[in-house]
Amino acid sequence: QVQVVESGGGLVQPGGSLRLSCAASVITLGLYDMGWYRQAPGKQRELVARITTGGTIYYGDFVKGRFTISRDDAKKTVYLQMNSLKSEDTAVYLCNAHFTRGRGDYWGQGTQVTVAS
């Protein structure tokens, strides 16, 4: 069973930065599209950023150049660098691993990001 584990969340002041990490217990991360999503209380889960096996990147409209997703397949880890954080970025951030060669869609438990002064 594939496990996806997020880390790096915490409390940060508005305008600050955080770097989230997502480690996946897979044999070859290069076979997975990887994504970061977030869910705030009372709101639907939304895409933050996604990076495909070929390196194509998608961001949610609200990112507006503030976040950067990257992947290190050798380390089986995906990162989300978040800068210029706003209070509205407060949410649980979840990592998703989508197997591109067949069935397999895996989620982590999430890491809390709180932006407050």
Side-chain angles (χ1 to χ4, degrees):
Q1 178 70 13
V2 172
Q3 289 189 321
V4 177
V5 180
E6 304 95 337
S7 61
L11 174 63
V12 63
Q13 292 186 340
S17 299
L18 279 176
R19 188 194 196 204
L20 305 183
S21 298
C22 169
S25 65
V26 297
I27 296 175
T28 307
L29 190 68
L31 297 179
Y32 291 78
D33 289 342
M34 301 296 295
W36 285 98
Y37 294 75
R38 71 184 189 183
Q39 188 160 19
K43 294 188 176 181
Q44 288 190 327
R45 187 174 295 184
E46 61 181 348
L47 172 70
V48 178
R50 188 161 190 84
I51 183 167
T52 70
T53 58
T56 301
I57 292 174
Y58 305 90
Y59 291 106
D61 290 342
F62 60 87
V63 170
K64 298 186 187 304
R66 300 182 297 131
F67 299 173
T68 302
I69 189 171
S70 60
R71 62 190 297 158
D72 186 333
D73 289 350
K75 293 183 178 179
K76 302 180 184 181
T77 302
V78 176
Y79 305 97
L80 183 68
Q81 176 67 42
M82 303 189 295
N83 300 326
S84 302
L85 283 162
K86 307 174 183 179
S87 58
E88 51 262 46
D89 294 318
T90 296
V92 174
Y93 284 69
L94 303 110
C95 183
N96 172 260
H98 176 75
F99 185 54
T100 60
R101 299 288 179 89
R103 291 177 132 181
D105 201 64
Y106 307 97
W107 291 88
Q109 293 296 309
T111 185
Q112 176 71 45
V113 172
T114 302
V115 184
S117 54

PDB file of all heavy atoms in Angstrom, residues 16-30:
ATOM      1  N   GLY A  16       4.787  35.739   5.391  1.00  0.00           N
ATOM      2  CA  GLY A  16       5.852  34.778   5.625  1.00  0.00           C
ATOM      3  C   GLY A  16       5.869  33.657   4.610  1.00  0.00           C
ATOM      4  O   GLY A  16       5.090  33.646   3.653  1.00  0.00           O
ATOM      5  N   SER A  17       6.767  32.705   4.850  1.00  0.00           N
ATOM      6  CA  SER A  17       6.964  31.583   3.932  1.00  0.00           C
ATOM      7  C   SER A  17       6.972  30.259   4.680  1.00  0.00           C
ATOM      8  O   SER A  17       7.324  30.206   5.867  1.00  0.00           O
ATOM      9  CB  SER A  17       8.296  31.740   3.192  1.00  0.00           C
ATOM     10  OG  SER A  17       8.325  32.912   2.423  1.00  0.00           O
ATOM     11  N   LEU A  18       6.585  29.228   3.965  1.00  0.00           N
ATOM     12  CA  LEU A  18       6.683  27.851   4.455  1.00  0.00           C
ATOM     13  C   LEU A  18       7.051  26.956   3.285  1.00  0.00           C
ATOM     14  O   LEU A  18       6.696  27.263   2.138  1.00  0.00           O
ATOM     15  CB  LEU A  18       5.359  27.364   5.051  1.00  0.00           C
ATOM     16  CG  LEU A  18       4.990  27.747   6.479  1.00  0.00           C
ATOM     17  CD1 LEU A  18       3.597  27.227   6.802  1.00  0.00           C
ATOM     18  CD2 LEU A  18       5.997  27.245   7.476  1.00  0.00           C
ATOM     19  N   ARG A  19       7.724  25.866   3.606  1.00  0.00           N
ATOM     20  CA  ARG A  19       8.021  24.863   2.599  1.00  0.00           C
ATOM     21  C   ARG A  19       7.439  23.532   3.054  1.00  0.00           C
ATOM     22  O   ARG A  19       7.846  22.996   4.082  1.00  0.00           O
ATOM     23  CB  ARG A  19       9.526  24.715   2.383  1.00  0.00           C
ATOM     24  CG  ARG A  19       9.894  23.816   1.211  1.00  0.00           C
ATOM     25  CD  ARG A  19      11.347  23.455   1.261  1.00  0.00           C
ATOM     26  NE  ARG A  19      11.848  22.920   0.003  1.00  0.00           N
ATOM     27  CZ  ARG A  19      12.912  22.137  -0.093  1.00  0.00           C
ATOM     28  NH1 ARG A  19      13.584  21.798   0.990  1.00  0.00           N
ATOM     29  NH2 ARG A  19      13.309  21.699  -1.274  1.00  0.00           N
ATOM     30  N   LEU A  20       6.500  23.032   2.281  1.00  0.00           N
ATOM     31  CA  LEU A  20       5.889  21.747   2.577  1.00  0.00           C
ATOM     32  C   LEU A  20       6.612  20.647   1.810  1.00  0.00           C
ATOM     33  O   LEU A  20       7.063  20.868   0.678  1.00  0.00           O
ATOM     34  CB  LEU A  20       4.412  21.752   2.203  1.00  0.00           C
ATOM     35  CG  LEU A  20       3.546  22.855   2.805  1.00  0.00           C
ATOM     36  CD1 LEU A  20       2.087  22.650   2.387  1.00  0.00           C
ATOM     37  CD2 LEU A  20       3.690  22.927   4.303  1.00  0.00           C
ATOM     38  N   SER A  21       6.671  19.482   2.421  1.00  0.00           N
ATOM     39  CA  SER A  21       7.256  18.314   1.775  1.00  0.00           C
ATOM     40  C   SER A  21       6.247  17.174   1.766  1.00  0.00           C
ATOM     41  O   SER A  21       5.437  17.052   2.689  1.00  0.00           O
ATOM     42  CB  SER A  21       8.516  17.861   2.514  1.00  0.00           C
ATOM     43  OG  SER A  21       9.507  18.858   2.506  1.00  0.00           O
ATOM     44  N   CYS A  22       6.335  16.368   0.738  1.00  0.00           N
ATOM     45  CA  CYS A  22       5.463  15.194   0.613  1.00  0.00           C
ATOM     46  C   CYS A  22       6.330  14.012   0.202  1.00  0.00           C
ATOM     47  O   CYS A  22       6.883  14.011  -0.898  1.00  0.00           O
ATOM     48  CB  CYS A  22       4.383  15.464  -0.422  1.00  0.00           C
ATOM     49  SG  CYS A  22       3.438  13.992  -0.891  1.00  0.00           S
ATOM     50  N   ALA A  23       6.433  13.036   1.090  1.00  0.00           N
ATOM     51  CA  ALA A  23       7.219  11.842   0.812  1.00  0.00           C
ATOM     52  C   ALA A  23       6.284  10.684   0.480  1.00  0.00           C
ATOM     53  O   ALA A  23       5.297  10.457   1.188  1.00  0.00           O
ATOM     54  CB  ALA A  23       8.080  11.491   2.020  1.00  0.00           C
ATOM     55  N   ALA A  24       6.581   9.985  -0.589  1.00  0.00           N
ATOM     56  CA  ALA A  24       5.735   8.873  -1.028  1.00  0.00           C
ATOM     57  C   ALA A  24       6.512   7.567  -0.976  1.00  0.00           C
ATOM     58  O   ALA A  24       7.641   7.500  -1.464  1.00  0.00           O
ATOM     59  CB  ALA A  24       5.225   9.135  -2.446  1.00  0.00           C
ATOM     60  N   SER A  25       5.879   6.565  -0.419  1.00  0.00           N
ATOM     61  CA  SER A  25       6.520   5.243  -0.306  1.00  0.00           C
ATOM     62  C   SER A  25       6.234   4.432  -1.560  1.00  0.00           C
ATOM     63  O   SER A  25       5.495   3.449  -1.531  1.00  0.00           O
ATOM     64  CB  SER A  25       5.996   4.509   0.936  1.00  0.00           C
ATOM     65  OG  SER A  25       4.618   4.223   0.782  1.00  0.00           O
ATOM     66  N   VAL A  26       6.815   4.861  -2.665  1.00  0.00           N
ATOM     67  CA  VAL A  26       6.624   4.187  -3.948  1.00  0.00           C
ATOM     68  C   VAL A  26       7.984   3.731  -4.459  1.00  0.00           C
ATOM     69  O   VAL A  26       9.018   4.221  -4.009  1.00  0.00           O
ATOM     70  CB  VAL A  26       5.965   5.130  -4.972  1.00  0.00           C
ATOM     71  CG1 VAL A  26       4.577   5.533  -4.518  1.00  0.00           C
ATOM     72  CG2 VAL A  26       6.830   6.364  -5.217  1.00  0.00           C
ATOM     73  N   ILE A  27       7.952   2.809  -5.415  1.00  0.00           N
ATOM     74  CA  ILE A  27       9.207   2.343  -5.995  1.00  0.00           C
ATOM     75  C   ILE A  27       9.782   3.398  -6.935  1.00  0.00           C
ATOM     76  O   ILE A  27      10.980   3.703  -6.899  1.00  0.00           O
ATOM     77  CB  ILE A  27       8.994   1.010  -6.731  1.00  0.00           C
ATOM     78  CG1 ILE A  27       8.570  -0.074  -5.725  1.00  0.00           C
ATOM     79  CG2 ILE A  27      10.253   0.611  -7.491  1.00  0.00           C
ATOM     80  CD1 ILE A  27       8.216  -1.389  -6.354  1.00  0.00           C
ATOM     81  N   THR A  28       8.914   3.959  -7.756  1.00  0.00           N
ATOM     82  CA  THR A  28       9.356   4.941  -8.750  1.00  0.00           C
ATOM     83  C   THR A  28       8.417   6.137  -8.747  1.00  0.00           C
ATOM     84  O   THR A  28       7.320   6.079  -9.309  1.00  0.00           O
ATOM     85  CB  THR A  28       9.386   4.318 -10.157  1.00  0.00           C
ATOM     86  OG1 THR A  28      10.173   3.122 -10.122  1.00  0.00           O
ATOM     87  CG2 THR A  28       9.977   5.293 -11.152  1.00  0.00           C
ATOM     88  N   LEU A  29       8.837   7.228  -8.128  1.00  0.00           N
ATOM     89  CA  LEU A  29       7.967   8.403  -8.081  1.00  0.00           C
ATOM     90  C   LEU A  29       7.709   8.952  -9.470  1.00  0.00           C
ATOM     91  O   LEU A  29       6.669   9.573  -9.718  1.00  0.00           O
ATOM     92  CB  LEU A  29       8.583   9.487  -7.187  1.00  0.00           C
ATOM     93  CG  LEU A  29       7.661  10.658  -6.880  1.00  0.00           C
ATOM     94  CD1 LEU A  29       6.503  10.205  -5.985  1.00  0.00           C
ATOM     95  CD2 LEU A  29       8.418  11.811  -6.250  1.00  0.00           C
ATOM     96  N   GLY A  30       8.618   8.707 -10.379  1.00  0.00           N
ATOM     97  CA  GLY A  30       8.471   9.209 -11.736  1.00  0.00           C
ATOM     98  C   GLY A  30       7.265   8.678 -12.485  1.00  0.00           C
ATOM     99  O   GLY A  30       6.955   9.183 -13.568  1.00  0.00           O
TER     100      GLY A  30
END
